[in-house]
Amino acid sequence: MNKNDITVIIPISVIPSHPDTRIIDETINSIRHHLPDSEIILQIDGLRAERKERKKDYDEFKNRLLWKCLHEWNSVLPIIFDVHSHQTTMMKNTINEIKTSLMLYVESDTPLVIDEKIAWEECLDMIEYDKAKTIRFHFESFIPESHEYLMFEKEGNFLKTIQWSQRPHLSLVSYYKDIVLPYSEEKTFIEDRFHGKVQDDGWNLHKLWIYHPEGNIKRSYHLDGREGTRKFTDDDLVWGYKE
């Protein structure tokens, strides 16, 4: 395996800063820093009924995005959904467009860091030799104490975990097809159900790791595209999201 065996998946939905493209620009630039030649697939979601007042801004954002795909970026494929489909349904409907064995899933406001190295060959070897199905790139410089019960032993630059997150992760396409998507409900966030499945099943089925080199382990970050506004899930009130 090599880095050309990776296709990057970026789900996109309307956010307060649209039609401005600065967030997706930063995310794609960070990916190109690490993976200059990989194909990127943009999953561009339709509007929810609750967001119809954003149609003009979102349409203009999509126009700018398509211009960049044609004139500015290389190997970026936009797939536009006319109706709201969310992460799970977009992934189910586009996974067969992935022609590589691996995918790097990057939400549109979660770039990879560019000031730290990622040992991609080590990551690829972990997957090729069946030690890992998924490797996540952490968004903090250390493991918070409250998450330590979800962590297990460390092996080299990798930490075993049963903590699933949709933050940037490298995964086998076959694993998504066979395990992740069949368990996912339509029109939801992938992690909303799947995080519980990983914890219930245990580590051996999912072979999930966090990239964990010595020192600072932060390899991604969050631009907070929603700016604290609603996720539009059943737990919005729990998290304190506002309209």
Side-chain angles (χ1 to χ4, degrees):
M1 286 183 173
N2 58 57
K3 290 198 290 186
N4 290 333
D5 293 314
I6 302 171
T7 297
V8 184
I9 304 296
I10 305 179
I12 295 173
S13 58
V14 68
I15 55 176
S17 62
H18 291 160
D20 192 285
T21 65
R22 65 181 184 274
I23 287 179
I24 190 63
D25 287 337
E26 185 168 340
T27 299
I28 287 182
N29 287 341
S30 77
I31 291 166
R32 283 295 180 236
H33 174 82
H34 292 277
L35 302 171
D37 300 316
S38 291
E39 182 175 42
I40 297 173
I41 295 177
L42 304 180
Q43 301 171 332
I44 306 167
D45 202 359
L47 280 173
R48 302 183 64 103
E50 298 92 336
R51 302 284 83 180
K52 292 301 183 183
E53 79 282 358
R54 298 299 318 284
K55 185 178 187 304
K56 181 178 178 181
D57 287 338
Y58 196 41
D59 285 348
E60 175 59 22
F61 166 78
K62 287 187 284 187
N63 287 337
R64 297 180 188 184
L65 201 64
L66 293 175
W67 188 94
K68 287 173 176 286
C69 292
L70 286 171
H71 302 292
E72 182 176 329
W73 298 327
N74 293 318
S75 298
V76 178
L77 173 66
I79 299 178
I80 298 177
F81 289 79
D82 292 331
V83 298
H84 171 64
S85 301
H86 222 319
Q87 287 184 355
T88 52
T89 302
M90 289 196 298
M91 195 71 244
K92 289 178 181 181
N93 288 341
T94 58
I95 196 163
N96 288 331
E97 299 298 323
I98 302 173
K99 307 307 180 188
T100 56
S101 58
L102 298 173
M103 53 180 272
L104 177 67
Y105 194 96
V106 182
E107 293 178 316
S108 61
D109 62 349
T110 60
L112 301 175
V113 302
I114 62 173
D115 58 350
E116 294 281 1
K117 178 184 176 182
I118 294 176
W120 291 101
E121 293 305 321
E122 291 184 30
C123 296
L124 294 168
D125 284 348
M126 288 285 287
I127 294 176
E128 183 170 9
Y129 294 107
D130 198 32
K131 289 186 174 182
K133 296 185 187 298
T134 302
I135 297 169
R136 189 167 81 250
F137 301 105
H138 210 257
F139 67 98
E140 293 180 289
S141 60
F142 60 93
I143 303 295
E145 184 177 350
S146 60
H147 294 170
E148 288 180 355
Y149 76 101
L150 298 169
M151 309 297 158
F152 301 108
E153 66 267 25
K154 191 168 180 285
E155 182 177 321
N157 286 327
F158 303 90
L159 177 68
K160 283 185 178 181
T161 181
I162 54 170
Q163 183 197 33
W164 180 271
S165 168
Q166 217 56 31
R167 292 299 175 95
H169 56 277
L170 182 68
S171 192
L172 279 164
V173 174
S174 60
Y175 171 69
Y176 254 74
K177 284 183 176 180
D178 297 341
I179 305 294
V180 178
L181 294 180
Y183 189 75
S184 301
E185 295 180 342
E186 296 290 335
K187 297 185 178 181
T188 61
F189 288 99
I190 292 172
E191 69 182 5
D192 280 358
R193 288 194 76 206
F194 202 71
H195 75 95
K197 178 172 176 57
V198 175
Q199 293 179 34
D200 290 343
D201 289 344
W203 187 84
N204 288 331
L205 175 63
H206 299 281
K207 296 183 179 180
L208 174 61
W209 302 79
I210 292 173
Y211 182 65
H212 197 296
E214 292 300 317
N216 177 21
I217 68 170
K218 182 174 182 175
R219 292 300 184 275
S220 68
Y221 58 103
H222 190 207
L223 295 173
D224 188 20
R226 285 200 311 271
E227 299 177 14
T229 55
R230 287 187 61 185
K231 285 177 66 177
F232 290 100
T233 60
D234 292 338
D235 62 353
D236 283 345
L237 293 178
V238 174
W239 293 101
Y241 293 119
K242 58 182 182 294
E243 292 292 342

